[in-house]
Amino acid sequence: MRGLLFTIFFIVLLPFFLFGIALYTWRIRRICVPQNISGTANEPFGGRLAMHIAGSRSDETTYKIANYLPSYGGVVRFLLIDTMRLACRVSGYKGSMLSYPGPRPSTLATMMSHRSYFFDESIKEVLTRKENPATQFVVLGAGYDTRCYDLPEDLDIKCFEVDMPPTLNTKKKALEAAGVPHDHVTFVETDFNQETWMEALLDSGFNPNLTTYILWEGVTMYLIEEAVRDTFNLIASLPVGSAVGADFFSHDLIVGNPPYEKFSKAMHGGIKYYSENLQFGIPTGETLSSGLEEFLKESGLTLTRFEHVGTTEDKRPPWYFFSHIEKQ
Ligand SMILES: C[S@@+](CC[C@H](N)C(=O)[O-])C[C@H]1O[C@@H](n2cnc3c(N)ncnc32)[C@H](O)[C@@H]1O
């Protein structure tokens, strides 16, 4: 019944929504891309925003800053977000795509809620455990992630957000305009493909002797393999108990091996729209996770949790993986 009500409201509001989508995509190409502000950062942000407005996953900061981002701000927030929010509120619908933690196995439509839940849990575990909790939190390729602004109040954690300057500056401006306190966060500008982020972090006050949690969500697929390897080797130099949450596409998807030929083309095409490139995927092993374990051997890090979108019974086997990796 709720789903039906939502559909009816949504159909009534569809012209607003479609106009919002058109304006949003125009802004990505005409405002974000020319200024090198990450376009792909808007996708996971949009997923978390949708869960927030549906009332399934609270993320007030995401909602607040949306109004001040070049992609979602002003009239787009009204057309895209506030219309959907109205449809959700009136109907009470939170199903499928908007649910959290979402169904398992997850699908292409529900992978964002699966991904958000996986990393929410991974962060919570390492920051709040009784023994050797992390006291530093680093978000690599932070984009518009808001985890640093939603930490439990009793935690005394130093936060760092690392990204390329145009995206970081856009986010800082949005946080300021939305009145979101951010003094506890140090913003660190770097390019993972050009230089080691650790040097940039150290220059910004990062202490390599403290147990650290590193969130590396939605980033590895945009990097060259060397940058991914270097990053794991650097994380391996942190104290025991440090951990990283990272997601990966499969190598087969990236290069378009069967049965991913068409899907791979569509993914590359979609990302090209943002003038960004998909570059790295892990060669999956027989158990899927064994490919990542093999990849981690060089750094000596340990894979402690591994989940994937889809099931191994699908015609198209899993191609997207979430991992929790520790220095033991
Ligand atoms: C898909 S977004 C993910 C953002 C965020 N982690 C999230 O899940 O919402 C990828 C982010 O990685 C950043 N990024 C991609 N390549 C990078 C590089 N070579 N150096 C630094 N940041 C990079 C982009 O600027 C963008 O903010």
Side-chain angles (χ1 to χ4, degrees):
M1 185 61 186
R2 285 183 175 168
L4 181 67
L5 263 180
F6 176 80
T7 310
I8 292 169
F9 277 106
F10 196 65
I11 288 171
V12 172
L13 297 170
L14 198 59
F16 293 95
F17 193 75
L18 292 178
F19 185 44
I21 294 267
L23 206 50
Y24 164 83
T25 44
W26 183 88
R27 285 179 173 189
I28 295 281
R29 289 296 314 173
R30 295 302 165 120
I31 300 176
C32 298
V33 170
Q35 296 181 60
N36 294 322
I37 301 167
S38 171
T40 56
N42 292 289
E43 295 224 343
F45 179 82
R48 294 187 292 265
L49 186 54
M51 287 184 270
H52 174 78
I53 59 175
S56 53
R57 178 182 180 275
S58 171
D59 191 346
E60 200 55 42
T61 305
T62 285
Y63 185 68
K64 282 187 189 163
I65 67 172
N67 212 14
Y68 301 98
L69 292 176
S71 45
Y72 284 100
V75 68
V76 173
R77 192 179 95 161
F78 168 72
L79 292 167
L80 266 188
I81 309 305
D82 291 338
T83 50
M84 212 209 286
R85 185 158 119 131
L86 182 66
C88 288
R89 290 281 149 93
V90 176
S91 64
Y93 179 70
K94 296 181 189 179
S96 190
M97 267 179 80
L98 305 175
S99 62
Y100 175 86
R104 301 289 181 276
S106 55
T107 62
L108 192 58
T110 60
M111 68 183 191
M112 257 323 289
S113 62
H114 186 175
R115 165 173 149 175
S116 300
Y117 182 73
F118 184 93
F119 291 117
D120 286 347
E121 293 297 299
S122 165
I123 297 164
K124 195 163 69 187
E125 181 195 327
V126 180
L127 264 54
T128 63
R129 68 191 172 200
K130 288 224 162 67
E131 267 184 44
N132 192 16
T135 51
Q136 285 182 132
F137 180 31
V138 179
V139 189
L140 286 184
Y144 304 137
D145 182 273
T146 54
R147 285 351 189 281
C148 290
Y149 310 93
D150 193 21
L151 295 170
E153 273 172 18
D154 53 335
L155 290 184
D156 184 17
I157 303 242
K158 266 173 96 175
C159 295
F160 298 85
E161 292 197 339
V162 185
D163 210 302
M164 294 202 267
T167 308
L168 269 188
N169 289 330
T170 304
K171 181 182 197 174
K172 264 195 283 182
K173 274 189 206 152
L175 288 165
E176 268 153 30
V180 176
H182 54 84
D183 287 349
H184 62 298
V185 182
T186 303
F187 297 93
V188 183
E189 299 177 359
T190 196
D191 178 345
F192 305 132
N193 285 331
Q194 305 284 331
E195 52 197 312
T196 72
W197 50 270
M198 187 67 97
E199 275 165 30
L201 261 188
L202 290 171
D203 289 346
S204 304
F206 175 80
N207 183 343
N209 301 314
L210 296 179
T211 305
T212 300
Y213 182 88
I214 294 180
L215 178 63
W216 203 18
E217 182 184 4
V219 188
T220 62
M221 51 290 278
Y222 300 102
L223 305 181
I224 53 174
E225 178 172 340
E226 199 189 347
V228 180
R229 285 196 184 277
D230 287 351
T231 294
F232 281 128
N233 290 337
L234 284 172
I235 293 169
S237 68
L238 295 173
V240 166
S242 296
V244 51
D247 51 341
F248 302 90
F249 282 173
S250 75
H251 176 72
D252 287 334
L253 173 73
I254 297 290
V255 298
N257 284 340
Y260 304 99
E261 300 95 322
K262 281 190 187 152
F263 188 43
S264 174
K265 234 182 191 171
M267 289 291 261
H268 282 282
I271 299 298
K272 281 250 156 60
Y273 183 80
Y274 295 108
S275 290
E276 293 177 39
N277 285 313
L278 290 175
Q279 308 198 81
F280 175 76
I282 46 157
T284 48
E286 244 175 55
T287 57
L288 298 179
S289 61
S290 58
L292 180 54
E293 279 163 334
E294 187 61 36
F295 189 80
L296 292 173
K297 269 189 187 153
E298 180 184 318
S299 62
L301 292 170
T302 308
L303 176 65
T304 53
R305 199 141 47 85
F306 181 88
E307 291 180 19
H308 55 73
V309 172
T311 81
T312 45
E313 277 95 58
D314 283 349
K315 265 196 251 155
R316 200 168 57 199
W319 48 271
Y320 190 23
F321 312 101
F322 310 131
S323 63
H324 180 100
I325 295 163
E326 289 195 1
K327 164 81 182 281
Q328 294 189 334

